[in-house]
Amino acid sequence: MNTGQRSARQIALKAGWPAKGPVCFSCQHQISRRTYAIAAAAAVETQTQANLSHILPVTSTSSQQAYQVRAGVVLSRPPLLTRDLHPFEKAFYLYQRRLNERLALPFTRYFYFKKGTPTDVEWKRKVKARLTPARDIGVYNAYGDEGWNDEVLVGAKEAETEWQVESLLKDAEAPITGIPGQESENGAGAPNGVEFDGEQTPGVSSEKGKVEAVERLMPRVTTADRKGDMKSLDRLLQRSLYLLVKNKEGRWTFPDDRLMGKENLHQAAERVLVQAGGLNMNTWVVGNAPIGYYSFDFPTRRPGLQKNAEELGEKVFFMKARIMAGQANLTENKLGLSDFKWLAKEEIQSAVTPRYWNAVRNMLAER
Amino acid sequence: MALRELRFKAGSALWRDLRPSIYPARPFFTRDASTNALQDLESSSFTVPPPSEDIVKSYDPVARSKSRKNELPPSRYQYRSPKYYRGPLHPHQPPPPSDPSSRLFTPGPFSLPRLEQTYQSTIAPDLLTLTYTHFPPGYRAPPKAQRLRSWEGDSPYFKNRPLRGPRGGDNLRLLTPPKTFRNIPKITGVTLHSMVPDAVDDSAHLHVAGMVMQAISNVRATTHKARRSVQQWGLREGKYVSVTASMKGEDTFHFLGKLIDVVLPRIKEWKGVKGTSGDSSGNITFGLPRDAVALFPEVEVNYDMYPPKMIPGCHITIHSSATNDRDARLLLQSIGIPFYGKVVN
């Protein structure tokens, strides 16, 4: 699709610019700029120029007061893991699974296990123990007289995700020696559904038949979490992490720098990322539009870059960026940064000033 | 339901009797609505502290029911929803479909799929940032031309005629409103479709196709007849030749998760989905060969139980709430489906 037709300038021209109400400087500048594409529509152009004639030219002889425009980067690492469920959610999902077990047609056993094969014997042993084809709903007979007792009691281990994962993995452990008689005896003696113990080391070979160990899941809490390492990207795997840096004034902010020359916000964001965190980061700046801004008035006016220019304050426009790989390295940064941290949303609140927090809080994801 | 009705009737009877006397009985020192409004709210079971430890440990519903000397009357625990809906005025109304005693009740959801969580936490905000269009303050959208054409000409019969459809076809295409946080495209469903022409001669092909579709999609498959005979394809009218399974909600995300993380990476020399695919209203279709269908974990785990060479290929339609193919493609790319070739919007 032709992006030229849907740009703000084109839209504004079609709508009959200038519109009523306040217009920011960059919008005005962008709209009043002549391009060859617009020159084709000469009639429209002349009319627009006439309409814009009351807008002051960009350069003026008297001393100019303006805000310093800066580009900030909200560099984030998205959550890598699913979130922990609320106890109510856990109980609800288990209850729904048991209801499903009550309402579903019986398991088509012979489609999955041929009669008389070792897998069939193994299947019979498992079902005898847990009374249901489902592997992760505990010992529950949906078709029996006590099928009505399907609700989970308070503190039941069956509702815990860890227990469910463990029982699924335990089910996947197939005995290597497939001697039917031995296996069924063993199974009747120690039904895995009933006598489950969470701390039991998995994959331990039992006395009679050896059990093939199934690889266990990695822990959801990492060493960085336990040590409280704020610089690691492996911390808080369920949350979005944001890069915060300590700037020259000793404040924690998102990395930012003023716009140089004719670069736009997207280019500036890419430059800031390289100048702040080094080249060892695989990043992606999402989109061309900022997701938030922060404005700050200087206590006293400062001289600007050009002569006769005064700066009233600074306006930081935040661009969204994602980190795919790598890690920040501040040793060769050109922005005068001294430290960095990867923080989740609520940790940012305590690290930054209240004013800054109010400006940035709504552009950070809850999770 | 008897209880339900009893409660309803008793309530209405009480109400009828009490109504005249309730107004004069209002206390003099009534509070304002604004003061302590929280206390007036219905108390939630979440705010009530849980029962004590010993009550929790000693509570055994099975033992309790067994210790009961006399059986409870069936009306206390057995309820059957009416088989037929007899209209809104009938005293015996069926319970809502969300009630487990309803005949229409379907259990679920059973989990919170990973892909859905990723969409909520990562993909949707990124899509909004990517597709955002900035309108300067004070901007008003230009008036759009009428989408249906009027009849131009001198003929007197044109007067009061209904408007003509757009050029190139009679159906109006979907409008794309400006992107906001409310209309970020999302995946609404997936339809699997498998056409099995061999089923005309041997219905076993259709049965196997149905089992495969059910296994990989977790929903009941429906069969379809051929609408007309085509000599060259060996189709005969009225014969069952195809199977579909349409997923919604949780099943969709589980299916797409398996497809993207397990199946697609294992297909040899798969280029991706063709860029020209799509129905120009946000639904994108691609096909999988029969070897790829066999790669689904549900099929792979008991591959031997399917008759040899009967596992069919299938078409996968991913339905999204996007109003054009460009947005739908962006959504699918963000969840990990690659596209190749010329792109058509």
Side-chain angles (χ1 to χ4, degrees), chain A residues 9-250:
Chain A
R9 180 170 65 242
Q10 300 272 357
I11 291 163
L13 284 177
K14 276 181 198 159
W17 196 261
K20 288 161 204 150
V23 178
C24 73
F25 176 77
S26 70
C27 284
Q28 268 184 10
H29 180 67
Q30 188 77 6
I31 289 159
S32 59
R33 201 177 62 187
R34 284 186 77 100
T35 61
Y36 292 109
I38 296 182
V44 180
E45 179 74 3
T46 48
Q47 187 192 351
T48 314
Q49 288 299 322
N51 285 344
L52 286 174
S53 60
H54 69 280
I55 297 172
L56 290 176
V58 174
T59 54
S60 127
T61 49
S62 63
S63 78
Q64 213 183 25
Q65 295 174 347
Y67 280 85
Q68 175 185 331
V69 178
R70 301 175 74 88
V73 189
V74 182
L75 183 63
S76 59
R77 188 223 60 190
L80 300 179
L81 292 184
T82 53
R83 69 175 165 85
D84 281 335
L85 294 178
H86 188 270
F88 179 77
E89 284 175 308
K90 289 180 197 167
F92 174 78
Y93 289 140
L94 179 55
Y95 176 53
Q96 292 293 326
R97 270 186 232 152
R98 286 190 171 178
L99 278 180
N100 187 46
E101 213 57 30
R102 291 182 79 176
L103 294 170
L105 288 173
F107 179 63
T108 48
R109 177 177 148 200
Y110 295 119
F111 181 71
Y112 291 94
F113 308 107
K114 241 177 204 161
K115 231 177 192 175
T117 54
T119 50
D120 188 39
V121 174
E122 178 67 12
W123 160 257
K124 274 196 260 182
R125 180 180 73 79
K126 284 173 179 166
V127 164
K128 203 173 173 186
R130 66 180 181 226
L131 306 175
T132 173
R135 295 163 295 180
D136 53 352
I137 62 170
V139 182
Y140 171 69
N141 186 3
Y143 288 157
D145 283 342
E146 281 151 21
W148 54 268
N149 185 24
D150 50 10
E151 287 186 45
V152 195
L153 298 184
V154 176
K157 62 182 188 323
E158 288 91 347
E160 295 305 318
T161 317
E162 295 79 32
W163 187 90
Q164 292 171 1
V165 168
E166 192 61 33
S167 59
L168 284 177
L169 291 176
K170 206 149 186 164
D171 183 80
E173 281 168 356
I176 294 170
T177 52
I179 307 165
Q182 271 191 354
E183 283 312 308
S184 57
E185 274 174 32
N186 188 15
N192 58 354
V194 179
E195 294 188 351
F196 173 79
D197 184 7
E199 294 174 2
Q200 187 186 349
T201 35
V204 174
S205 57
S206 60
E207 290 167 14
K208 287 182 182 175
K210 279 197 174 181
V211 170
E212 193 183 352
V214 176
E215 198 179 353
R216 256 46 188 180
L217 304 182
M218 296 284 282
R220 293 167 71 88
V221 178
T222 58
T223 49
D225 283 326
R226 272 181 256 116
K227 288 179 185 168
D229 182 7
M230 297 282 199
K231 294 195 173 187
S232 171
L233 269 168
D234 292 337
R235 64 187 298 261
L236 294 182
L237 296 180
Q238 304 178 22
R239 304 292 311 277
S240 292
L241 290 183
Y242 296 94
L243 176 68
L244 262 81
V245 292
K246 202 174 194 177
N247 62 13
K248 282 178 204 161
E249 289 96 47

Side-chain angles (χ1 to χ4, degrees), chain A residues 311-358:
Chain A
E311 283 173 355
L312 299 169
E314 62 176 15
K315 289 194 175 182
V316 189
F317 291 89
F318 294 108
M319 299 295 289
K320 184 178 195 170
R322 297 277 191 197
I323 181 165
M324 261 72 80
Q327 174 60 290
N329 182 10
L330 296 193
T331 48
E332 290 177 4
N333 81 82
K334 292 167 185 168
L335 306 178
L337 312 173
S338 53
D339 199 4
F340 75 93
K341 275 181 188 174
W342 290 98
L343 299 180
K345 182 174 182 178
E346 67 273 355
E347 295 167 339
I348 293 176
Q349 184 177 11
S350 52
V352 301
T353 60
R355 190 188 160 84
Y356 196 78
W357 170 247
N358 272 338

Side-chain angles (χ1 to χ4, degrees), chain B residues 13-263:
Chain B
L14 276 176
W15 179 240
R16 205 163 44 232
D17 293 343
L18 286 181
R19 215 180 319 186
S21 63
I22 224 167
Y23 298 109
R26 262 187 102 166
F28 178 68
F29 45 90
T30 176
R31 284 176 298 155
D32 288 343
S34 57
T35 56
N36 288 334
L38 259 183
Q39 291 179 1
D40 294 344
L41 287 177
E42 195 181 330
S43 68
S44 158
S45 64
F46 288 107
T47 59
V48 177
S52 64
E53 195 72 15
D54 50 331
I55 295 178
V56 166
K57 279 193 177 157
S58 63
Y59 184 67
D60 186 1
V62 177
R64 191 164 164 236
S65 80
K66 277 184 179 165
S67 68
R68 203 173 278 129
K69 283 173 193 161
N70 304 326
E71 217 173 84
L72 285 175
S75 63
R76 293 283 293 278
Y77 60 93
Q78 281 183 351
Y79 167 68
R80 276 175 164 257
S81 169
K83 198 164 186 183
Y84 306 107
Y85 180 61
R86 294 183 172 86
L89 298 179
H90 196 271
H92 194 188
Q93 289 290 321
S98 57
D99 190 333
S101 63
S102 164
R103 288 173 190 271
L104 304 174
F105 175 73
T106 346
F110 307 111
S111 62
L112 194 56
R114 190 171 62 94
L115 183 60
E116 192 179 4
Q117 291 191 35
T118 312
Y119 175 82
Q120 298 289 354
S121 70
T122 313
I123 294 171
D126 280 0
L127 282 182
L128 182 59
T129 314
L130 270 176
T131 54
Y132 174 76
T133 316
H134 178 66
F135 296 113
Y139 164 78
R140 273 163 302 167
K144 287 224 168 101
Q146 202 178 21
R147 300 180 76 203
L148 295 170
R149 295 174 295 158
S150 55
W151 293 87
E152 306 284 349
D154 298 332
S155 169
Y157 294 105
F158 287 169
K159 206 173 181 185
N160 293 332
R161 242 190 207 183
L163 295 172
R164 300 168 80 184
R167 273 176 217 283
D170 260 355
N171 50 345
L172 288 173
R173 293 167 72 182
L174 295 176
L175 292 171
T176 304
K179 217 40 101 230
T180 65
F181 69 97
R182 291 180 192 281
N183 60 10
I184 305 172
K186 59 171 184 263
I187 288 165
T188 52
V190 170
T191 303
L192 292 183
H193 170 249
S194 179
M195 166 104 176
V196 198
D198 298 340
V200 173
D201 303 323
D202 181 8
S203 73
H205 287 89
L206 202 69
H207 293 292
V208 174
M211 285 306 276
V212 171
M213 293 296 123
Q214 281 184 40
I216 65 180
S217 70
N218 191 29
V219 295
R220 192 82 177 155
T222 40
T223 47
H224 302 280
K225 293 173 189 169
R227 281 192 292 186
R228 50 183 66 85
S229 304
V230 180
Q231 198 77 50
Q232 296 86 345
W233 301 345
L235 273 187
R236 266 175 286 152
E237 192 181 332
K239 289 276 182 184
Y240 284 98
V241 283
S242 81
V243 188
T244 60
S246 16
M247 288 160 264
K248 279 195 171 176
E250 191 197 1
D251 289 333
T252 309
F253 289 104
H254 283 309
F255 174 78
L256 286 178
K258 281 179 300 194
L259 180 73
I260 292 161
D261 295 333
V262 181
V263 178

